[in-house]
Amino acid sequence: MLSRYFTTCLSVIGVLFLCTACTGITEKQLALDPVFTETEKINNFVSLERSEFFRFKDEYIKTRQADHLERMSELMELMRDELEHAEYFQKNYRYYRKGIDYERWKSAQNTYRLCRKTLCEMMLATGELHMMHGNREYAVALFNAVVSGFEDKEFSGYVDQAREFLQEIEEARLYASSKKPVIREGH
């Protein structure tokens, strides 16, 4: 999994290199471009927060300390903020000068996809832990958010997994409600 994130970061670096080679813009000029600098900052943030998130997940699995779940939820909220930031650049690429508009948009698009994918993974992981050890209602809310918020084809596997988790929760509820206590008369 981690290799995909390095690949994405290398792709961003490759785009930057191609932009300088194909357009005649110097690396210094490119470094001042707000789209490239901001999307690079977002990519770095996403990679670091993703690593920290899954470190907290592993720690929670080992220790069952509730503060790890809380920290995971906080990191998810930070990721939502970064997703909004990335979405801004993805939508507003057209306002920059001609020549490297496409590369700017591509950089912003890749960053936006990385943020969405990371947020989706975080939601599924947090939901799964809550489903097993914590608040099932919160897990249901997270899984429903994945199902309704990530309709793109590239997220179909994640959506299917969220649906499976929702089905497991529903089956567990049905099983629990079907169990009736045995009442013995005369005892």
Side-chain angles (χ1 to χ4, degrees):
M1 273 226 200
L2 195 55
S3 64
R4 285 188 269 162
Y5 293 95
F6 288 126
T7 303
T8 302
C9 289
L10 289 175
S11 298
V12 171
I13 292 168
V15 167
L16 295 176
F17 175 77
L18 286 174
C19 288
T20 59
C22 296
T23 61
I25 295 174
T26 66
E27 288 183 33
K28 185 176 180 181
Q29 290 170 319
L30 197 57
L32 297 175
D33 185 273
V35 174
F36 288 122
T37 56
E38 287 301 313
T39 54
E40 185 177 350
K41 286 179 192 174
I42 294 169
N43 282 329
N44 291 336
F45 177 83
V46 168
S47 295
L48 291 172
E49 294 305 308
R50 183 184 186 284
S51 296
E52 187 175 353
F53 175 88
F54 284 101
R55 184 177 61 79
F56 279 117
K57 177 186 176 200
D58 292 342
E59 286 297 315
Y60 177 77
I61 290 170
K62 291 176 190 172
T63 64
R64 300 285 192 266
Q65 292 179 354
D67 59 320
H68 294 306
L69 279 178
E70 291 171 22
R71 186 67 180 127
M72 289 169 65
S73 294
E74 290 171 10
L75 290 171
M76 260 190 331
E77 288 305 315
L78 289 173
M79 191 57 58
R80 283 188 177 111
D81 294 342
E82 280 310 296
L83 179 59
E84 288 178 14
H85 194 198
E87 186 176 24
Y88 168 81
F89 284 101
Q90 186 243 358
K91 286 183 176 179
N92 292 300
Y93 72 93
R94 65 186 175 277
Y95 296 116
Y96 297 97
R97 66 181 185 273
K98 299 278 184 201
I100 60 170
D101 283 347
Y102 178 75
E103 286 80 8
R104 284 182 175 132
W105 174 79
K106 203 65 173 156
S107 175
Q109 183 72 12
N110 288 339
T111 298
Y112 177 68
R113 284 184 177 149
L114 177 65
C115 286
R116 288 191 74 208
K117 184 173 185 171
T118 303
L119 178 61
C120 186
E121 289 175 347
M122 288 178 164
M123 292 169 74
L124 282 173
T126 304
E128 184 177 12
L129 290 178
H130 275 284
M131 179 178 86
M132 294 185 296
H133 308 288
N135 181 343
R136 286 198 176 178
E137 282 71 33
Y138 184 59
V140 168
L142 287 172
F143 297 144
N144 281 326
V146 169
V147 169
S148 64
F150 296 90
E151 301 91 11
D152 309 15
K153 186 177 181 179
E154 67 187 285
F155 292 99
S156 62
Y158 295 119
V159 170
D160 291 344
Q161 188 176 10
R163 285 187 177 127
E164 287 176 17
F165 285 142
L166 287 168
Q167 186 175 358
E168 282 181 39
I169 291 171
E170 185 59 31
E171 287 173 359
R173 284 183 185 158
L174 291 174
Y175 177 74
S177 66
S178 69
K179 288 179 113 180
K180 296 180 181 177
V182 176
I183 302 173
R184 295 184 185 167
E185 292 184 30
H187 290 233

